[in-house]
Amino acid sequence: MGGEPESKIQLQVLGITNASHPDMYTLLLGETSGEGRKIPIIIGLPEAQSIAVRLQGLRSPRPLTHDIFMTMALSFQIEMIEAIIYKCANGVFFSQVVCKREDKVIYIDSRTSDAVALAIRFNAPIYTYNSVFEEALEKLQELTSTMVNNRSEEKEEAQDIDLTDRDSLSSLDDKTLQELMQKAISEEDYEQASIIRDVLNSRK
């Protein structure tokens, strides 16, 4: 005899943050009730922009890919019922977009980023299972560890730099310089902020 089917757990989009890799972002999903568990999913820049635009209530000058898909679906009387993240294996999440046309329900395999981008356009719920949370917990711990290590390395690098020396500042990347400039401004160290600004402007 087979086991009882798993109960679905509803998720919500908590936010999108920079990932440790260039042009990659972390989509953070969390359960709407219960223990407040979270699922981190690495996504690309186009998908991150597509999700962020919709969440922020912005309108793109031209339709994005997910907007076109929604328009086409609605033109053929196809509704999206839900998105389901049904499996996590080796850090990769597997999802389905569940659609309905008249009395027929269709399950379409999808990247999780696309499933989420479509769900927020159709106002469709996003679900997962407890087994996915268990697999994702290890991924979240790895992600948190990486973020902490990266921040520690950046802090150590910044401490070794003479922040009043332009040549030393030139060895830092733009992101680190931007963070240092914002820190200087928040501390009202406008002289330091102007030095960092000049270094950034010299790269344009």
Side-chain angles (χ1 to χ4, degrees):
M1 296 178 61
E4 291 292 328
E6 285 192 88
S7 298
K8 293 188 293 188
I9 302 169
Q10 188 166 355
L11 302 172
Q12 60 183 331
V13 178
L14 299 179
I16 300 174
T17 61
N18 291 329
S20 57
H21 302 287
D23 297 324
M24 301 299 288
Y25 294 81
T26 300
L27 169 65
L28 194 61
L29 304 174
E31 59 182 329
T32 57
S33 60
E35 302 174 18
R37 293 173 295 180
K38 301 177 180 63
I39 295 178
I41 301 169
I42 302 299
I43 64 175
L45 176 59
E47 294 77 27
Q49 290 176 330
S50 181
I51 294 171
V53 163
R54 197 70 178 190
L55 288 177
Q56 296 169 10
L58 303 177
R59 183 177 294 276
S60 174
R62 294 186 296 171
L64 300 175
T65 302
H66 298 107
D67 296 324
I68 296 172
F69 183 93
M70 182 181 71
T71 300
M72 291 182 63
L74 294 177
S75 297
F76 290 94
Q77 291 78 52
I78 299 172
E79 287 285 343
M80 179 174 175
I81 302 173
E82 61 190 22
I84 302 177
I85 306 172
Y86 65 89
K87 184 173 73 172
C88 176
N90 299 320
V92 178
F93 294 89
F94 297 80
S95 297
Q96 289 181 325
V97 172
V98 184
C99 298
K100 183 177 181 179
R101 185 173 187 270
E102 297 178 347
D103 294 330
K104 185 176 183 180
V105 176
I106 305 170
Y107 293 81
I108 304 172
D109 284 331
S110 169
R111 295 185 304 175
T112 300
S113 55
D114 292 327
V116 172
L118 290 172
I120 60 177
R121 283 166 167 77
F122 280 92
N123 291 319
I126 305 167
Y127 294 107
T128 192
Y129 301 108
N130 189 63
S131 58
V132 175
F133 269 118
E134 292 174 355
E135 291 287 339
L137 178 59
E138 182 178 350
K139 183 70 176 176
L140 180 60
Q141 291 172 338
E142 291 176 0
L143 179 64
T144 301
S145 177
T146 299
M147 292 174 65
V148 169
N149 290 336
N150 288 343
R151 288 173 181 170
S152 297
E153 291 173 2
E154 290 173 1
K155 184 177 180 181
E156 289 175 3
E157 180 182 19
Q159 288 175 342
D160 292 337
I161 295 294
D162 182 354
L163 298 182
T164 61
D165 180 66
R166 294 176 188 270
D167 290 336
S168 295
L169 288 169
S170 297
S171 66
L172 301 176
D173 58 50
D174 288 359
K175 180 182 177 182
T176 301
L177 288 174
Q178 290 283 0
E179 292 175 351
L180 289 173
M181 185 171 68
Q182 291 301 321
K183 182 175 183 294
I185 292 173
S186 66
E187 295 175 352
E188 299 184 356
D189 187 350
Y190 300 113
E191 181 179 359
Q192 177 61 50
S194 66
I195 294 174
I196 299 173
R197 180 202 59 203
D198 291 343
V199 172
L200 283 167
N201 289 338
S202 69
R203 298 179 178 180
K204 297 180 180 178

